[in-house]
């Protein structure tokens, strides 16, 4: 158990809908990272937050957004969902801002868009 | 449930043998590398890392080798056990700083008991 929790575990929704994925980092970790894992693209970095502020941005679509709250949990919002958004979404946390620090991954949320 | 794609290279190893998983990284300017293990239905788990100023680093039953000349990274697992069955990813960081981890496609290790 990495200490990172993600909810929900599974999510099934329809095209055009909007969903919110939630992540609670390990106790004391200030950075949260979001990744998408799909069959054809592997693990892709989406976005990083550090202590409430956006720190780095990867291949995140404009339809996707994230935030980190004062209690350090983070939410990833996916809107206008398309079939291709079906994937596993992982969050990871680390103590500080540096990407070289070990990132601890949560168990993931499996999203299926029908 | 499955964690990753269906078209990963697969390495099948007899229990007790040594495993070698290879990774060709993309950027000669990358200076930090990590191996992750992902078991079915779980998130990736850190195994071992290495900086570009090193050629070799050892952990418990694992060794990472870095060949910068040919941009090649390998993970050696000694005395492979059934619990080592998983998908293994290498990841690289370009110029240590604010650039994100870039993950390779992964290799599925299957241990035959």
């Amino acid at each position: 158990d990495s200490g990172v929790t993600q909810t929900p575990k599974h999510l099934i929704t329809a095209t055009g809908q909007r969903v919110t994925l939630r992540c609670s980092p390990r106790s004391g970790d200030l950075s949260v990272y979001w990744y998408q894992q799909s069959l054809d693209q592997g693990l892709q970095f989406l976005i990083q937050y550090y202590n409430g502020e956006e720190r780095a941005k990867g291949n995140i679509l404009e339809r996707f957004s994230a935030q980190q709250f004062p209690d350090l949990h983070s939410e990833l919002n996916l809107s206008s969902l398309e079939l291709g958004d079906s994937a596993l979404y992982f969050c990871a946390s680390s103590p500080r801002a540096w990407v070289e620090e070990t990132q601890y991954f949560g168990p993931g949320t499996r999203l299926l868009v029908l | 449930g499955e964690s990753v794609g269906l078209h990963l290279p697969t390495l099948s190893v007899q229990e007790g043998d040594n495993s070698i998983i290879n990774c060709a990284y993309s950027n000669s300017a990358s200076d930090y590398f990590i191996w992750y293990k992902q078991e079915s239905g779980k998130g990736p788990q850190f195994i071992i890392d290495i900086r570009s100023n090193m050629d070799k680093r050892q952990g418990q039953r694992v060794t990472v080798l870095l060949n910068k000349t040919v941009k090649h990274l390998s993970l050696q697992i000694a005395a492979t056990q059934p619990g080592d069955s998983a998908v293994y990813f290498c990841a690289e960081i370009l110029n240590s700083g604010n650039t994100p981890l870039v993950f390779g496609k992964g290799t599925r290790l299957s241990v035959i008991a």
Side-chain angles (χ1 to χ4, degrees):
Chain A
D1 184 2
S2 66
V4 178
T5 60
Q6 289 187 247
T7 56
K9 274 182 132 33
H10 303 276
L11 200 46
I12 302 174
T13 188
T15 54
Q17 295 298 304
R18 182 180 190 275
V19 297
T20 298
L21 313 184
R22 183 188 167 100
C23 169
S24 292
R26 292 187 325 153
S27 177
D29 284 358
L30 299 179
S31 266
V32 170
Y33 302 79
W34 285 98
Y35 293 87
Q36 180 191 58
Q37 187 175 43
S38 59
L39 288 179
D40 56 349
Q41 292 292 322
L43 261 167
Q44 299 276 316
F45 168 72
L46 295 178
I47 197 164
Q48 176 197 2
Y49 276 80
Y50 172 70
N51 205 21
E53 300 289 326
E54 182 183 305
R55 170 117 176 129
K57 215 166 186 175
N59 300 321
I60 187 165
L61 300 172
E62 283 192 16
R63 300 183 285 109
F64 296 180
S65 65
Q67 53 184 327
Q68 186 179 27
F69 295 86
D71 67 352
L72 300 176
H73 91 271
S74 178
E75 293 181 356
L76 179 67
N77 301 296
L78 315 177
S79 61
S80 302
L81 285 166
E82 302 175 359
L83 296 178
D85 298 326
S86 295
L88 272 166
Y89 291 84
F90 289 103
C91 83
S93 74
S94 67
R96 290 173 295 275
W98 307 113
V99 71
E100 297 134 315
E101 290 182 321
T102 299
Q103 294 181 28
Y104 296 88
F105 282 76
T109 293
R110 181 176 295 280
L111 174 66
L112 181 60
V113 182
L114 300 175
Chain B
E2 80 285 2
S3 305
V4 294
L6 300 174
H7 303 296
L8 296 173
T10 299
L11 175 66
S12 295
V13 175
Q14 204 72 35
E15 181 179 358
D17 287 352
N18 297 334
S19 303
I20 300 176
I21 301 169
N22 296 304
C23 174
Y25 62 92
S26 58
N27 198 316
S28 57
S30 292
D31 60 4
Y32 181 63
F33 305 87
I34 309 171
W35 279 100
Y36 279 90
K37 172 186 181 183
Q38 187 176 18
E39 297 175 86
S40 182
K42 297 185 178 179
Q45 178 187 4
F46 172 90
I47 302 173
I48 192 168
D49 59 0
I50 189 168
R51 293 202 171 276
S52 60
N53 60 355
M54 302 172 70
D55 297 324
K56 179 179 179 178
R57 188 158 189 229
Q58 286 184 289
Q60 189 177 22
R61 275 201 314 118
V62 294
T63 300
V64 56
L65 298 177
L66 176 62
N67 184 332
K68 295 180 285 293
T69 303
V70 295
K71 294 191 290 183
H72 184 268
L73 199 62
S74 68
L75 177 71
Q76 300 179 1
I77 304 173
T80 311
Q81 302 168 0
D84 295 326
S85 293
V87 176
Y88 291 81
F89 295 96
C90 65
E92 61 188 290
I93 295 176
L94 172 64
N95 287 338
S96 300
N98 212 23
T99 54
L101 281 175
V102 176
F103 282 84
K105 293 292 185 188
T107 296
R108 188 183 303 278
L109 176 65
S110 179
V111 181
I112 306 163

